[in-house]
Structure formats: C-alpha cells, structure tokens
Amino acid sequence: ACQISSTTFIQKSAMPLQDDDDDDNDKIDTPSKTPTSTIPFLLADIGEGISEVELLQWYVNPGDTVSQFDRICEVQSDKATVEITSRFDGVVERLCGEVGEMMFVGKPLLYIAVDNAANVGGVGGGAQQHAAAESVDETTQQATLHNVVDESDRLHIPTDESVHSNSDSHYGGRKGSESEGEESGIMAKVLSSPAVRKMSKDYSIDLGAVMGTGPGGRVLKADILNIINARDSKAKPTGSTTVPQVSSALSQIEEDTVIPIRGYSRLMVKSMTTSLQVPHMVYADEINVNALTVVRDSLRPLAKEMGLNKLTYLPFFIKASSLAITKYPVLNSTIDVEEMTLTYHQSHNVGVAVDTERGLTVPVVKRCQDKSVLEIAEELGRLYALAFEGNLSEADISDCTFTLSNIGAIGGTYMSPVVLPPQVAVGAMGKIQRLPRFVSDTSDEVESVRIMPISWGGDHRAVDGATMARFSNLWKAYVENPSSMMFAMR
C-alpha cells in the first residue's frame, strides 16, 4: 500500500564569515527553493455507478515531470475506456498500481510532488494540498476529504484528435535516447490508439509507413495484423504442406489457469445475471432478402461517392426496426419492476452487438428515427472503428432502448436472443443462405431465394406474443420490400 509522505526542501548556500564592522549590504542572502508537498492523485468518479476500473497502461513513470492536462493513465470500466489527465503541475513520485490491476474510485492512482506556492488556490483546491504538507496525519485526512468529483473534467475519452494531444509528456517528456524520442515523435503524428502503437512497437512496424483504413486515415489494429500476417506468409517455405496452427493461447495451457474477468466481459456477466430475472419469449421467422440485396448493390456506388466504403444490410435492418417501432412503441420501452412502470422512449436508440478482442460490447446508434440509411451506415462505421480499438466513450454505449445482433455474420440460423434489462426486446439476424422456395402456395414452381432467419426475444412482462408477431411482420414487410420504407419515412 502506498504511504503518504510530505517533505519540505530548503537549501541554503554556504555563507562566508563576516567581520563585525561589515555593512549589512555586504551580507549574502540565503536563497531557498520553493517548498513542495507530496499529495495523492485520486481516481475520480467516472459515473454510471462505476466503482472500479482496470488499469490498462501508464503514460508516466516515477520521476517524470507532468503539467495540468497531461495524460496520466488509461483505464477501462465495464463500459468504456477512459484516459485520465493530470490536475497538477509536479513530479511523479510513486505509482499505486500495475497494469492489469483493478483501481478503485476515491483511492490514489499515484503520488505527485507539487509546488506549494504554485498550487495554492489552483486547480482542485491547491490550498488544501499546501496545508496537507504540515503533517502526515493531516495529509491523510485531506486525501479522504478530497472532492474527487471535481476531477471529472480531467477524465478524457480517447478520440481521433486527442489520442496524441499530450504526446510530449508521454514520449518526449521521458528521459531516454534521442532515437527513442524521434521514433515516438513520428508515432505521435499518426492517428492510432495506444494499443495499436504498442503492437507496432512490439513488432517493429513503422506507423508512419502504414496506410490507415480507419476514419481520417486512422491506423487500426487490423492494419497492423495484416502486416504481421503478410510477414508470416513470406517467411513460410514454398512447396511445404501448411498445417493449421492451433491458437498459441490454447496450445500453451498445460494446467488449470485462473483468468480474472475484466472490461466488457465483466459487464456481460452482470447484465446476463440480471437477465435471468426476465421471463423471456422468443418469436422467429424467415426473411426473403432478394429485393434488399438488389437495392443495396445498386446503392453501393452512390454510397462510395459519398465517402462510405462499405454498405451492408445492417443499416437497412436498423432503419426498418425504427419504422416498425413507430407503430409498436412498446418494443422501444424500458421496464421498472419496482415502480411497476413502462417508459416509452421518444428516441429510437438502437444498440448493435459487436464482437471485439476485448469481449462483446454494444455501441448505440442514437435517434435512428431522424437518420437516413446512409447516416446510420456512417455512424455504424464510426462506432465499429472505436469498438475494435477499445475507444468507445460512455456516450457511445449508453441510453440503448432496443438491441440488434448480427450474429449471422459469424454463423448460425435461429437464435434465442437474451433481453438486456431494463430493455424489453432484442433481435438476432441469422446467416443469409440461398435456399429453394415455392413461388406461391398454389404453384409447384421452385425458385432460388436468399433467406435470412430472424429471431426476436421479448420480456413477456411487457410484450405479449401477438404484439411481437405484428411488429415482426411489419419489420419483415419493410425488409422484403425496401421501397415501402420511403412511404413511412418523414
């Protein structure tokens, strides 16, 4: 456990002996350095009832000099990744956790030596910190009483513009060789997440030479993995038989291993445990997506001209859900069992389940009722890029009122999707398959049809089977005849 210490440094220069008859003006003044105090830097309240976070990485080391708003560390809660910045100007004395450890709100992240004079009346109550230098006991008391809520403005969600906003303090500010500083300076000019920068450094990949495929030329983890895979393929001898490689993580497990549940997986444990209290009902159907395929393919060139590189089925499914919700708003409600109330939400905030290396996360496309199919597709692209890099903000994953899972992209047909309380409905699209179907009930003629299974899960306390069936039929009508959506749009 970290101990709080307070020190005051006063340095006096050597003074020569003076004769009794020397003038006062000949006396040498005693210079002194400004007193400093070691104070705790506490983890602020991130909100949403979060009391602990996982420490992903430090941006500072003991002995580093930091300024206000310099990045201190990156942490991940159950819902989002957050960068924490400094509240003070000072020198880092001690770190209070290792990467991978859980840090608790209101507890010290690190201890920092600050200038008493500079911090009196400064950000976050410097006068209190100055007084804390008088004694260890008093400092401890001040740390307990310290208002960590005031630190909320120092929390920072990584974005394209801000990933490198304090790169000088992280890279150039540390002591090291000139080559390391030059390399870090180049990396800081490339839009990428800390995880991507670390991976590129581990594999000796020059980020400046990588063509980023993310928004604004952002280098994604997939870009780095493609380079690594290309290297591996070149290293394989030609003419040899390639044996499928088993995952190194699995092949190296020779005994039982305990792995802590962290990040997004912790949220899934909590939400799935809560979902056990929901009496589920499931409704399934199959959708003919022949017409939708034609419409999507015809719109792809136009979407590319408008800056959208990839147009999938999902934006159409989301828009169809929003239009169907307009007629059946109970599907877009949340339930409060204790108060025995249903809240019908004005905004159609559709969450989309995304499978990432960090686990399952559900970013939210907000106000789908006001967005076009193209706007929904653009927002999905932004959310996907952030999700795969672990940089989703709290706003990106909150206020979900209805959820869709495109599990069919991986495989499977019919599902039993689980409702995420307090929501009351969820949909899961299965794999699209080319199957034979009769042209009509009265004809023996068979045609080739692209069929997609759809499975709906509902909270039976709020949604009955008849309502779910009618909602599904309307959604099906929009998807099977995409042109009909134009009549319902405003």
Side-chain angles (χ1 to χ4, degrees):
C2 294
Q3 299 293 328
I4 301 176
S5 63
S6 61
T7 56
T8 302
F9 302 98
I10 300 177
Q11 182 180 3
K12 297 183 178 180
S13 62
M15 298 179 61
L17 295 176
Q18 301 291 328
D19 294 335
D20 293 340
D21 56 351
D22 281 346
D23 294 336
D24 291 339
N25 292 336
D26 293 333
K27 294 182 179 179
I28 299 177
D29 294 333
T30 304
S32 63
K33 287 187 177 181
T34 306
T36 61
S37 298
T38 298
I39 59 175
F41 184 99
L42 306 182
L43 175 61
D45 184 4
I46 299 177
E48 293 289 327
I50 294 172
S51 60
E52 60 181 6
V53 295
E54 179 183 358
L55 181 60
L56 295 183
Q57 64 177 324
W58 286 108
Y59 294 129
V60 295
N61 285 321
D64 285 353
T65 299
V66 296
S67 302
Q68 293 183 31
F69 298 103
D70 281 355
R71 295 187 303 172
I72 295 296
C73 63
E74 183 180 32
V75 299
Q76 182 181 33
S77 69
D78 295 345
K79 300 182 178 181
T81 301
V82 178
E83 285 182 351
I84 297 178
T85 57
S86 177
R87 302 180 63 247
F88 305 103
D89 299 331
V91 178
V92 177
E93 288 203 348
R94 185 181 308 160
L95 305 181
C96 291
E98 299 290 338
V99 173
E101 290 185 3
M102 301 302 295
M103 310 300 290
F104 298 91
V105 170
K107 300 297 183 181
L109 279 172
L110 53 79
Y111 288 93
I112 183 171
V114 298
D115 184 338
N116 286 345
N119 283 280
V120 172
V123 179
Q128 292 182 0
Q129 305 297 349
H130 174 66
E134 298 298 329
S135 68
V136 174
D137 294 338
E138 188 174 352
T139 304
T140 305
Q141 182 180 12
Q142 292 295 334
T144 304
L145 297 178
H146 181 65
N147 184 10
V148 296
V149 178
D150 292 341
E151 296 184 23
S152 58
D153 61 340
R154 306 291 168 164
L155 298 178
H156 176 63
I157 306 297
T159 62
D160 287 350
E161 293 78 9
S162 64
V163 166
H164 307 292
S165 60
N166 295 299
S167 58
D168 289 342
S169 64
H170 176 30
Y171 296 109
R174 292 186 181 180
K175 296 180 180 180
S177 65
E178 294 182 2
S179 60
E180 290 177 350
E182 292 175 359
E183 178 184 357
S184 300
I186 294 174
M187 293 174 64
K189 297 178 182 178
V190 180
L191 290 177
S192 62
S193 70
V196 170
R197 295 199 300 274
K198 182 178 185 301
M199 177 179 289
S200 67
K201 186 175 182 181
D202 291 342
Y203 287 89
S204 300
I205 296 174
D206 181 9
L207 274 182
V210 178
M211 293 293 292
T213 59
R218 185 185 186 92
V219 178
L220 307 178
K221 182 175 288 187
D223 299 327
I224 303 299
L225 291 175
N226 288 338
I227 295 176
I228 297 173
N229 293 334
R231 286 181 179 177
D232 293 342
S233 61
K234 291 179 180 180
K236 293 178 182 178
T238 58
S240 61
T241 302
T242 303
V243 180
Q245 296 294 321
V246 181
S247 171
S248 60
L250 296 177
S251 62
Q252 294 178 3
I253 296 179
E254 299 178 354
E255 58 182 12
D256 294 347
T257 305
V258 178
I259 301 176
I261 300 176
R262 302 282 171 79
Y264 297 146
S265 298
R266 290 170 62 89
L267 179 60
M268 185 169 65
V269 169
K270 294 177 182 178
S271 60
M272 291 300 97
T273 301
T274 305
S275 71
L276 292 175
Q277 304 173 7
V278 176
H280 279 74
M281 61 155 290
V282 177
Y283 180 89
D285 201 352
E286 65 177 34
I287 313 297
N288 182 335
V289 296
N290 278 359
L292 179 59
T293 301
V294 173
V295 170
R296 183 203 62 170
D297 291 346
S298 65
L299 290 176
R300 276 180 166 173
L302 178 60
K304 194 168 185 179
E305 290 180 5
M306 302 179 71
L308 187 65
N309 294 325
K310 187 176 182 181
L311 182 62
T312 65
Y313 293 104
L314 189 55
F316 296 93
F317 297 152
I318 293 176
K319 189 61 184 180
S321 299
S322 177
L323 294 174
I325 283 172
T326 302
K327 187 168 183 179
Y328 299 100
V330 68
L331 276 296
N332 194 52
S333 66
T334 52
I335 187 171
D336 188 330
V337 178
E338 293 183 0
E339 297 294 331
M340 294 298 289
T341 59
L342 277 174
T343 301
Y344 285 61
H345 297 283
Q346 177 187 19
S347 296
H348 300 174
N349 299 337
V350 180
V352 180
V354 178
D355 179 42
T356 72
E357 292 183 355
R358 297 170 181 248
L360 181 68
T361 184
V362 185
V364 182
V365 181
K366 304 289 182 68
R367 299 192 62 83
C368 294
Q369 76 275 15
D370 298 331
K371 287 182 169 66
S372 66
V373 173
L374 177 63
E375 290 171 332
I376 292 174
E378 290 174 336
E379 179 66 0
L380 281 174
R382 183 187 74 85
L383 293 173
Y384 280 162
L386 295 175
F388 289 124
E389 294 186 11
N391 288 337
L392 286 169
S393 69
E394 191 71 25
D396 291 330
I397 57 177
S398 60
D399 302 325
C400 183
T401 59
F402 184 86
T403 302
L404 288 177
S405 170
N406 193 23
I407 188 64
I410 299 176
T413 53
Y414 294 97
M415 318 291 170
S416 182
V418 178
V419 175
L420 301 175
Q423 300 170 47
V424 299
V426 58
M429 287 79 70
K431 179 182 179 180
I432 296 177
Q433 303 176 83
R434 183 170 174 264
L435 299 172
R437 289 292 184 269
F438 288 109
V439 174
S440 67
D441 293 338
T442 59
S443 173
D444 291 337
E445 183 181 355
V446 176
E447 64 178 349
S448 173
V449 180
R450 293 174 64 83
I451 295 295
M452 183 192 72
I454 179 68
S455 305
W456 302 103
D459 186 335
H460 218 335
R461 297 171 298 184
V463 182
D464 57 53
T467 301
M468 181 65 81
R470 294 188 181 99
F471 167 83
S472 180
N473 289 340
L474 181 56
W475 184 87
K476 177 178 180 178
Y478 286 136
V479 173
E480 291 191 338
N481 184 12
S483 300
S484 65
M485 286 195 284
M486 292 190 297
F487 285 128
M489 293 181 185
R490 296 179 181 178

